[in-house]
Amino acid sequence: MILKPFDLTPPPAGDLRRVAGHAAESQMAFYLQRDFAKDPHLFVLNNLRIVDPDQPEFDGAPGVCQVDHLVMHRWGVFIVESKSVTDEVSIRDDGHGGDEWTRRFRGREQGFESPIQQARRQGEFLRTLLDRHRESLRSRAPVGLRQVSKVLRGSEHGGYKNMPIQVIVAISASGKIRRVNRWCEATEPFCDFVVKADNVCENIRAEFRRHKSASNPLKTPVDQYGVWGMSGEDLQRTADFLVARHTAPVEPRVVPATPSAPLSTPTPAPQSLPPLGPPSCKACASPDLDAMSGRYGYYWKCRACGVNTGMPRICSVCGAAHSRAAPVNIAKERDAYFRKCSACGIDEKIWTQPLR
């Protein structure tokens, strides 16, 4: 279930890097909403930002952890890091057990921070915060195990030190992933993934089933899956705690040059941008749609009222509208539909035709 859809308001249109990142996060939030909105076993928190003074930065400022998407379940959590890639991303072993990332865009290649290591740091930040508050979040151990728990953990309550934290790097659906020299993700003690955004939910479900199956007390554990766990009540308390700790960033204001000068404000994003999230019928707002093609291109036909709704040809990244000089076209690849913008080079996946 989606606990709280934190603010995903687009940044100013002029900041193309932030706008592209926002588009990737919004795309991933759409997939998570579609797959897990009604699932009572998986809690989703989008754009979670936690400030913790007890984990200060190097300069003494309060520590900050920002997670694109956090998916929680009784046996662990997934940190999903969204990456906007319109061309190709390459991953290779750095020779010391780490991973090295480069990105190609319009023929040029440049390195960037490993999103796997970035997500792992975020995970340890959350683990430390949660474990510090374990006595208010976790239930007490069963009566016969309380003394053992107190000796091992210093508390009769369960902790988070061994909570599985799995990393999933979600690459834009239009991007390509190149694994240099057969580089592969970690599988011990738990599996991490680098996949296209539209495959993330499938991997989450498979891993969740693996954790749940391994937690069966009648089975002998063969690996670390299912060894750590918490009750449904503990999961709810933990998720509610993180929601309550969420702090939205404060956007800086531009100070006027003179007292009489008006305050400068960021350039607003274009008002004509297509709405984020699942499309719906323009007549009855039903989301029960089928993709069709006709004389004027691709459109949705509403299964509830039969009205046609055109697939918008306005780029949600740069705001460009379709024109002869800078076309914004809809393209179909199997059962997926992409909006391709020639102005900024971004391909957005806007629809996957559901199985009927």
Side-chain angles (χ1 to χ4, degrees):
M1 64 181 66
I2 310 297
L3 283 190
K4 185 174 180 180
F6 294 129
D7 185 23
L8 284 173
T9 303
D15 191 340
L16 293 182
R17 184 177 293 275
R18 285 181 61 194
V19 169
H22 167 266
E25 290 179 34
S26 299
Q27 184 184 64
M28 191 65 249
F30 165 70
Y31 292 139
L32 294 170
Q33 167 79 23
R34 184 185 61 186
D35 280 55
F36 302 139
K38 296 181 180 180
D39 192 321
H41 306 295
L42 293 162
F43 290 178
V44 179
L45 291 80
N46 293 310
N47 200 25
L48 176 67
R49 183 176 182 271
I50 301 291
V51 178
D52 185 11
D54 291 323
Q55 299 186 67
E57 304 290 351
F58 73 94
D59 59 358
V64 178
C65 168
Q66 186 147 355
V67 179
D68 290 346
H69 315 278
L70 185 70
V71 183
M72 309 178 65
H73 58 95
R74 285 183 53 196
W75 298 279
V77 301
F78 300 93
I79 291 180
V80 182
E81 184 71 19
S82 295
K83 287 300 172 186
S84 173
V85 177
T86 58
D87 196 333
E88 181 180 86
V89 64
S90 297
I91 320 163
R92 53 178 59 82
D93 193 320
D94 69 355
H96 302 282
D99 49 301
E100 185 177 290
W101 291 65
T102 57
R103 176 165 37 199
R104 180 174 293 278
F105 180 66
R106 294 181 179 176
R108 300 182 62 184
E109 191 171 30
Q110 62 180 20
F112 64 101
E113 180 183 12
S114 165
I116 293 178
Q117 303 307 324
Q118 179 184 355
R120 286 176 179 169
R121 289 193 293 270
Q122 294 165 347
E124 291 308 313
F125 187 102
L126 292 178
R127 186 197 304 279
T128 299
L129 173 69
L130 293 173
D131 202 59
R132 200 168 67 241
H133 293 271
R134 62 186 179 276
E135 293 194 2
S136 62
L137 299 177
R138 297 294 308 276
S139 304
R140 297 173 72 187
V143 175
L145 298 176
R146 287 179 185 174
Q147 190 60 35
V148 175
S149 178
K150 195 166 185 178
V151 172
L152 296 177
R153 302 192 188 104
S155 170
E156 295 180 355
H157 298 74
Y160 298 86
K161 289 183 178 179
N162 298 313
M163 178 178 68
I165 299 177
Q166 293 177 258
V167 173
I168 302 180
V169 180
I171 303 299
S172 304
S174 59
K176 298 178 182 178
I177 304 171
R178 178 170 171 257
R179 292 171 166 84
V180 180
N181 295 329
R182 298 185 179 181
W183 177 90
C184 60
E185 303 91 329
T187 58
E188 297 291 341
F190 309 101
C191 290
D192 294 335
F193 300 91
V194 178
V195 294
K196 297 288 194 69
D198 52 345
N199 291 324
V200 167
C201 296
E202 179 182 347
N203 283 280
I204 288 176
R205 286 200 182 280
E207 287 294 291
F208 170 73
R209 288 193 295 267
R210 186 174 176 184
H211 280 284
K212 183 178 180 180
S213 176
S215 68
N216 189 331
L218 300 180
K219 291 185 176 181
T220 301
V222 295
D223 50 31
Q224 293 299 308
Y225 282 80
V227 175
W228 183 93
M230 56 181 164
S231 67
E233 293 78 9
D234 288 358
L235 173 61
Q236 184 71 62
R237 278 194 295 268
T238 303
D240 290 342
F241 170 79
L242 292 176
V243 170
R245 290 291 296 253
H246 169 72
T247 304
V250 178
E251 294 293 334
R253 299 180 67 191
V254 178
V255 179
T258 63
S260 59
L263 288 175
S264 300
T265 56
T267 303
Q271 296 302 308
S272 58
L273 294 182
L276 297 173
S280 59
C281 175
K282 66 181 181 183
C284 68
S286 170
D288 191 8
L289 307 172
D290 279 328
M292 312 287 286
S293 63
R295 179 179 178 184
Y296 300 105
Y298 292 104
Y299 62 93
W300 290 292
K301 187 176 185 65
C302 179
R303 295 168 63 89
C305 69
V307 170
N308 296 338
T309 301
M311 293 188 183
R313 292 199 287 175
I314 302 174
C315 179
S316 70
V317 176
C318 69
H322 173 73
S323 67
R324 289 187 178 181
V328 179
N329 292 316
I330 306 296
K332 179 184 178 184
E333 297 179 14
R334 295 185 179 180
D335 60 346
Y337 293 78
F338 294 86
R339 181 166 47 225
K340 298 175 177 287
C341 176
S342 63
C344 66
I346 296 291
D347 292 359
E348 304 172 80
K349 188 174 184 181
I350 61 173
W351 177 256
T352 299
Q353 179 64 33
L355 296 175
R356 302 295 187 186

